Amino acid sequence: MDHETNTSTEYDDWVANPDNLAQHLAGILKNLTRATKEPERKASINRRWPYLVNPETGHLNGHDLCWICSSALVHSGPTLPKLRACRWCLAQDRRQAARLGLRHLLPVFDWPAPPVRDRVRADQHDQATRDATTDAWSQVSTLDRWRRDCVALAYEWMEVAAGDVVDLYDWQARLGVGAHRSFVYWAAYVDGYHPNLRRALIGGLPSKAGGR
């Protein structure tokens, strides 16, 4: 009678252990997942590239973010000048500017001076108010720095890991977008960089008509 030869190896014994087998399979799956996820991640980045928020420029890779709220895309249209603000921030800036007889206060597009809405009312301002509006309109570089700083701060707040990216969908979902954000960020920018303009808007700077 032939006797079976025991050819079991140490590896066979290890595989035969259910705990070892589970660990072994988990390691294989982990390696397979890593091998497939990296190409998927790169493909996703390439696909979303135009809509990824670039922390260096403060814009998307393929589009411009609003210079005021840094959340929505700048408003654009075939008959419009090249704008620096989204439609909500444009509306907020127009509302505030109307109080001084102007169409806009912040440099939402290139123009030699703040565009006038009501010439009679605009001509009533004293020199201090004129200086405040002129200063706010001329500070394009300050508004640009504001947007960059807001984007950098948002990246820090989101705790985005080095090498990771955020697309516009996630950006807006976490930060919010719309009229309320525009109101808050417009006010924060003016309060921080143009306090004289804020005082003019609330009547703190005298006007010729008011006699103050």
Side-chain angles (χ1 to χ4, degrees):
M1 181 177 181
D2 295 335
H3 295 282
E4 294 183 0
T5 303
N6 186 0
T7 59
S8 175
T9 66
E10 184 178 343
Y11 176 76
D12 294 329
D13 294 338
W14 181 82
V15 170
N17 186 316
D19 291 337
N20 290 337
L21 182 59
Q23 294 175 6
H24 183 54
L25 291 176
I28 293 174
L29 291 175
K30 183 177 181 180
N31 290 334
L32 289 174
T33 300
R34 185 184 300 115
T36 57
K37 274 193 173 181
E38 183 58 22
E40 289 177 357
R41 188 184 75 85
K42 290 182 178 179
S44 175
I45 290 175
N46 291 335
R47 184 173 61 253
R48 295 178 297 149
W49 187 89
Y51 293 95
L52 297 179
V53 181
N54 189 319
E56 301 298 327
T57 65
H59 283 305
L60 305 183
N61 285 334
H63 305 275
D64 286 351
L65 274 180
C66 176
W67 291 36
I68 299 173
C69 71
S70 66
S71 179
L73 297 180
V74 298
H75 189 51
S76 62
T79 62
L80 297 174
K82 183 173 175 56
L83 298 170
R84 300 186 179 106
C86 68
R87 61 188 181 93
W88 293 288
C89 287
L90 288 171
Q92 170 65 15
D93 195 60
R94 280 196 302 268
R95 280 193 295 270
Q96 297 294 339
R99 299 164 66 180
L100 298 178
L102 302 174
R103 292 192 181 276
H104 283 288
L105 293 171
L106 302 187
V108 294
F109 61 91
D110 284 332
W111 197 257
V116 175
R117 178 178 183 176
D118 183 340
R119 174 59 63 184
V120 174
R121 188 171 184 180
D123 286 344
Q124 292 178 344
H125 300 313
D126 73 340
Q127 191 59 47
T129 299
R130 293 177 190 225
D131 289 345
T133 56
T134 299
D135 182 60
W137 186 261
S138 66
Q139 295 300 314
V140 178
S141 60
T142 302
L143 190 59
D144 178 57
R145 187 171 69 252
W146 162 263
R147 184 198 70 255
R148 292 171 183 265
D149 289 346
C150 287
V151 169
L153 185 62
Y155 255 84
E156 182 178 349
W157 174 73
M158 292 181 188
E159 298 182 338
V160 180
D164 286 349
V165 287
V166 182
D167 62 25
L168 183 62
Y169 178 84
D170 291 335
W171 188 259
Q172 292 182 342
R174 298 196 65 180
L175 298 181
V177 62
H180 178 69
R181 181 176 174 87
S182 293
F183 173 82
V184 171
Y185 273 69
W186 189 96
Y189 173 74
V190 171
D191 289 347
Y193 291 93
H194 301 289
N196 284 340
L197 178 59
R198 170 62 77 188
R199 284 192 283 272
L201 288 168
I202 64 176
L205 296 179
S207 67
K208 294 177 182 178
R212 293 185 293 174

